[in-house]
Amino acid sequence: MKKLLLAFFAFFSFCNIQAQEFRIVKGGVTDSLPIPGTGNKTYAFYAPTNYSVERNWPVVFIFDPKGRGSTTANLFRKAAEEQQYLVASANIDLKSEPIDSIIKTATSMMNSIFSAFPVDPALVYTAGMGEGAQVASALPMFYRKMAGVMAIGNSFVNQQYLDKSNPYMFIAVAGDKDYMVYQMEDYLRFYDDLDFKTDVYYFAGKEDQWPEAAVISNAMTGFSLEAIKKGSRSADKDFIQKLYQNEIAYTEQLVRTRNYYDAYEKLDRMEDKYEDFGFEDDIEERMKELKKTNGYRSQRRDFRQATSFEKQQIEEYEYLLRSDIMTANFQNIGWWAYQVDELDKLKKSSNEAKSNMAYRLHGYLDFLTKKQFDQIVEANIPIDTKIFISVLRTAIRKDDPEAYLKIISLAGADGDYETALLYLEDLLKTGYSDMESLYNIEGILDLQFTREYNQIIKKYLGESKFYNDEIEPEEN
């Protein structure tokens, strides 16, 4: 995505378009508003209950990987109502659109909002999750006055196209089970080194997940407080007090659920966030009290031990994976499968730090092997290496059909029908039911006409295209 974003950077800019009139519901999400010049593309929109055209409003543009505009707009609804933001959430399926189309649609949506609603041009923000976070964090290249970006689980960063004369706030949000958590912290360090204002939030979740509304609301306070510090929003004491109390309520909820270390870390970040607003003594007192809690020290120890082990394990995985791919070492497939089984067991651990670590490590292994799989299967290299990485993928991600289908294709085309049939059955055991695709696998036309191939399909799907006679009962 990064290369494509840079390739299309020069072709899209913001311009004035004819203002449109929209009928919206105050205090509710209005869905399917049209994006001009994009055919049938739409977005969902939220305006606070006291919305009026008599004042200019902050606005946040949201991007969800699956284009769930209304759903994501509702996630931001609490923050938008309490902190007075307009929300526009794109109904764009980012996984099925080319990047040039995505950027064009995103900028058209933003232009549409600027023309139709009273937006404060100095208080424009973007937010997104996964691929949506990459889009959200790329848009400051096109809208130079961007005030802030909230990136959840991913980001796009390129120093070459970063306008250091117009710094914006970068808020990173990561799930504690998401393998991208360390990458997000790298992004924070990148922006910190450039003296951009930053903040970070964590939530109980994995990759490709939105945090709950309360976490989003807490994160949005970063934008609001930074705007107040810069003088872009009025320093209303009651408003600031309400923001603070909402965040304190969240830390108290963490304490009630015995997440003492998480609560302490949250307060530690709040100390910098609420600097100069007069809450320092209260925050410090709360942190002192948490340190006295019985569970705090043990949770801190568990967290440090887990993260230390995790970093060592990541280095080991990376080294061994490179070695096994280079040698196409099929004998080590069992070792990788064992690692996944152990991680699955650890996910169920009562030790939350170890459980979260297991989710992150498994997610990282999934990411790492998928990246290698995508590169290797398209490369001009020996078939043994292609089959190896495909078999390894089935050990790492047992319910992902892509690798099974590739093994069937490679083995069948190579005349190894036994292996192809074995992985056909393994694929169907996962619950795979797209029969049409099983008869469109490249390179195995002869195999698809065999009785054995069709009877395996019928055994699991109830029917097959050929030899659709009764399957003979297996001998005892």
Side-chain angles (χ1 to χ4, degrees):
M1 175 174 274
K2 289 186 178 182
K3 291 182 179 178
L4 287 170
L5 281 169
L6 300 180
F8 288 99
F9 169 67
F11 295 94
F12 297 104
S13 60
F14 285 85
C15 57
N16 292 323
I17 61 175
Q18 184 177 358
Q20 301 180 47
E21 292 185 1
F22 296 118
R23 187 180 298 277
I24 63 169
V25 179
K26 294 182 183 181
V29 173
T30 305
D31 200 7
S32 302
L33 295 176
I35 301 175
T38 62
N40 60 352
K41 299 292 192 308
T42 65
Y43 64 93
F45 185 81
Y46 178 82
T49 52
N50 64 335
Y51 170 75
S52 167
V53 296
E54 302 303 317
R55 54 167 285 200
N56 289 340
W57 293 77
V59 62
V60 55
F61 295 94
I62 309 171
F63 301 91
D64 172 72
K66 298 180 181 179
R68 298 166 293 191
S70 179
T71 302
T72 50
N74 273 299
L75 271 177
F76 281 74
R77 182 174 177 171
K78 179 179 185 293
E81 182 67 29
E82 294 177 350
Q83 300 179 47
Q84 299 288 278
Y85 286 82
L86 303 179
V87 171
S89 185
N91 290 314
I92 312 170
D93 186 347
L94 304 180
K95 296 180 181 292
S96 63
E97 292 277 340
I99 188 60
D100 59 328
S101 175
I102 292 170
I103 295 298
K104 183 177 180 180
T105 301
T107 54
S108 294
M109 179 180 74
M110 295 177 75
N111 274 325
S112 177
I113 296 294
F114 296 153
S115 297
F117 299 96
V119 170
D120 188 331
L123 296 175
V124 176
Y125 304 88
T126 61
M129 182 268 288
E131 290 91 342
Q134 292 184 306
V135 174
S137 54
L139 285 172
M141 295 191 300
F142 306 99
Y143 184 75
R144 296 291 185 173
K145 297 179 182 179
M146 194 71 71
V149 172
M150 184 191 301
I152 301 169
N154 212 326
S155 185
F156 169 79
V157 171
N158 188 285
Q159 190 167 356
Q160 181 181 355
Y161 291 93
L162 204 62
D163 187 356
K164 299 176 185 177
S165 63
N166 290 298
Y168 51 88
M169 185 174 193
F170 180 81
I171 296 179
V173 184
D176 53 19
K177 295 178 175 64
D178 186 354
Y179 70 91
M180 282 291 291
V181 65
Y182 298 119
Q183 183 64 52
M184 296 304 295
E185 290 171 356
D186 286 343
Y187 290 137
L188 283 170
R189 283 188 284 271
F190 170 83
Y191 281 105
D192 282 335
D193 289 343
L194 296 176
D195 291 327
F196 280 46
K197 186 66 178 178
T198 63
D199 204 353
V200 61
Y201 294 83
Y202 301 94
F203 66 98
K206 299 185 292 184
E207 61 269 19
D208 298 324
Q209 284 185 355
W210 284 96
E212 61 183 350
V215 175
I216 289 174
S217 183
N218 285 344
M220 288 285 286
T221 61
F223 291 152
S224 299
L225 290 172
E226 187 63 16
I228 290 171
K229 290 178 181 179
K230 288 184 175 181
S232 301
R233 294 186 66 162
S234 62
D236 185 311
K237 291 184 178 180
D238 290 339
F239 176 65
I240 296 170
Q241 179 71 31
K242 184 177 180 180
L243 296 182
Y244 179 72
Q245 290 302 328
N246 284 344
E247 290 211 65
I248 287 297
Y250 185 79
T251 64
E252 290 176 346
Q253 178 63 31
L254 290 174
V255 172
R256 283 193 293 271
T257 55
R258 299 182 180 179
N259 290 296
Y260 306 118
Y261 180 70
D262 289 344
Y264 181 89
E265 291 295 296
K266 167 71 174 171
L267 287 167
D268 188 39
R269 294 190 295 272
M270 285 179 63
E271 195 168 26
D272 178 62
K273 181 177 179 179
Y274 285 90
E275 185 180 15
D276 301 327
F277 289 113
F279 299 107
E280 293 89 343
D281 291 343
D282 182 57
I283 292 174
E284 288 181 6
E285 186 61 32
R286 291 174 182 274
M287 292 172 69
K288 287 179 182 178
E289 289 301 314
L290 270 173
K291 276 189 172 182
K292 299 176 184 177
T293 308
N294 290 333
Y296 168 76
R297 292 184 182 277
S298 61
Q299 288 179 7
R300 183 182 62 180
R301 182 186 64 249
D302 290 344
F303 176 81
R304 291 176 176 176
Q305 289 177 347
T307 53
S308 175
F309 174 80
E310 180 178 3
K311 291 174 181 178
Q312 294 175 3
Q313 200 68 17
I314 285 173
E315 291 180 2
E316 181 179 352
Y317 285 159
E318 290 173 346
Y319 171 77
L320 293 176
L321 181 62
R322 286 195 300 269
S323 176
D324 285 351
I325 290 175
M326 287 178 62
T327 58
N329 195 334
F330 286 90
Q331 292 182 344
N332 284 342
I333 294 291
W335 184 86
W336 289 104
Y338 173 77
Q339 297 301 305
V340 172
D341 288 342
E342 290 300 298
L343 290 175
D344 284 340
K345 293 177 185 176
L346 202 54
K347 289 175 186 178
K348 302 173 184 177
S349 171
S350 58
N351 184 315
E352 187 175 13
K354 290 183 178 180
S355 175
N356 291 341
M357 177 201 68
Y359 277 102
R360 291 194 298 268
L361 281 174
H362 194 184
Y364 184 68
L365 269 181
D366 185 19
F367 163 76
L368 204 60
T369 55
K370 180 62 165 66
K371 182 179 179 181
Q372 291 292 331
F373 173 84
D374 289 341
Q375 293 174 351
I376 290 172
V377 296
E378 298 298 330
N380 185 20
I381 57 177
I383 189 173
D384 284 354
T385 303
K386 293 184 177 183
I387 293 179
F388 171 80
I389 192 62
S390 301
V391 172
L392 179 59
R393 279 293 296 158
T394 66
I396 302 298
R397 183 73 181 275
K398 298 175 183 178
D399 60 347
D400 184 0
E402 187 177 13
Y404 292 94
L405 293 170
K406 180 55 68 173
I407 297 170
I408 297 167
S409 174
L410 292 169
D414 198 43
D416 185 358
Y417 287 0
E418 184 177 351
T419 297
L421 293 172
L422 174 65
Y423 278 89
L424 169 65
E425 185 155 18
D426 285 346
L427 170 61
L428 291 168
K429 285 178 180 178
T430 68
Y432 188 77
S433 59
D434 186 355
M435 186 170 69
E436 192 63 32
S437 71
L438 298 176
Y439 289 94
N440 286 293
I441 299 175
E442 184 180 357
I444 64 164
L445 185 60
D446 290 345
L447 178 61
Q448 289 167 347
F449 280 106
T450 65
R451 180 182 296 275
E452 292 83 359
Y453 191 89
N454 285 273
Q455 288 193 336
I456 290 174
I457 293 174
K458 184 174 181 181
K459 177 181 176 182
Y460 290 91
L461 302 186
E463 61 178 336
S464 59
K465 278 196 173 184
F466 313 110
Y467 295 102
N468 211 7
D469 51 347
E470 291 296 325
I471 300 176
E472 296 179 4
E474 296 181 1
E475 294 183 2
N476 292 327

